Amino acid sequence: MKRRNLVHGIIALFCAVSLYAGPVYATYNEGMEAYLMKDYARAMKNFMYEEDAASLYMVGYLYDHGEGVPNDSAKAVEWYTKAAEKGSVKAMYRLGVMYSNGVGVEKDDATAIKWFKKAAFKGFVPAKDAVKRLEKSSN
């Protein structure tokens, strides 16, 4: 009897965790589907309230490119930073680009190199090339 209650408890816990974790993944996928269909408002709605790196990156991307929202480089930097802090190499790279060009932020090669190096450390090849270029030009 105790074993049966334990099994039922484990199953209930698994179901509860699955229900909790499921919508985050579904919302990101729904956001990407909307984005690919050029329904940017719906995509933003799906990405905006998620806390995973991919969703945060996409919010930054939408602001960066003015898709579904007014183009706002400062907001793009804000969202890319949130995504980068959660491990998004694409966001780290975009921050490097924005700091190196002074888009949405004041131009700052040292900060650009910092973000490029973080992305490069995770194996993002374009970031490795950017570090070489920036370090070469600053010497």
Side-chain angles (χ1 to χ4, degrees):
M1 186 69 164
K2 286 184 182 181
R3 182 176 168 98
R4 186 173 170 198
N5 288 338
L6 178 64
V7 170
H8 286 190
I10 291 172
I11 291 170
L13 179 62
F14 177 76
C15 290
V17 169
S18 296
L19 288 173
Y20 176 75
V24 172
Y25 184 74
T27 302
Y28 173 78
N29 285 341
E30 290 168 6
M32 284 308 297
E33 181 181 318
Y35 175 78
L36 294 171
M37 296 175 71
K38 299 186 187 295
D39 185 352
Y40 302 126
R42 188 166 59 98
M44 179 65 91
K45 184 178 175 184
N46 281 290
F47 295 136
M48 190 79 156
Y49 301 103
E50 297 303 317
E51 290 297 320
D52 62 288
S55 293
L56 297 171
Y57 171 80
M58 286 304 298
V59 173
Y61 184 89
L62 291 169
Y63 276 116
D64 195 10
H65 294 88
E67 295 178 339
V69 291
N71 183 288
D72 188 334
S73 298
K75 281 190 179 181
V77 168
E78 177 186 332
W79 287 93
Y80 284 150
T81 302
K82 290 177 184 183
E85 289 170 350
K86 292 205 177 245
S88 170
V89 294
K90 292 189 291 186
M92 292 171 193
Y93 178 76
R94 288 299 306 151
L95 285 168
V97 169
M98 295 179 94
Y99 276 99
S100 70
N101 294 314
V103 176
V105 290
E106 203 166 311
K107 183 175 172 36
D108 184 344
D109 285 343
T111 302
I113 289 171
K114 175 190 92 168
W115 283 114
F116 283 140
K117 282 185 174 180
K118 285 182 178 222
F121 182 75
K122 292 184 171 257
F124 198 68
V125 175
K128 291 178 184 179
D129 297 337
V131 169
K132 289 178 192 173
R133 258 191 331 273
L134 266 178
E135 287 180 338
K136 190 177 187 179
S137 70
S138 65
N139 289 333

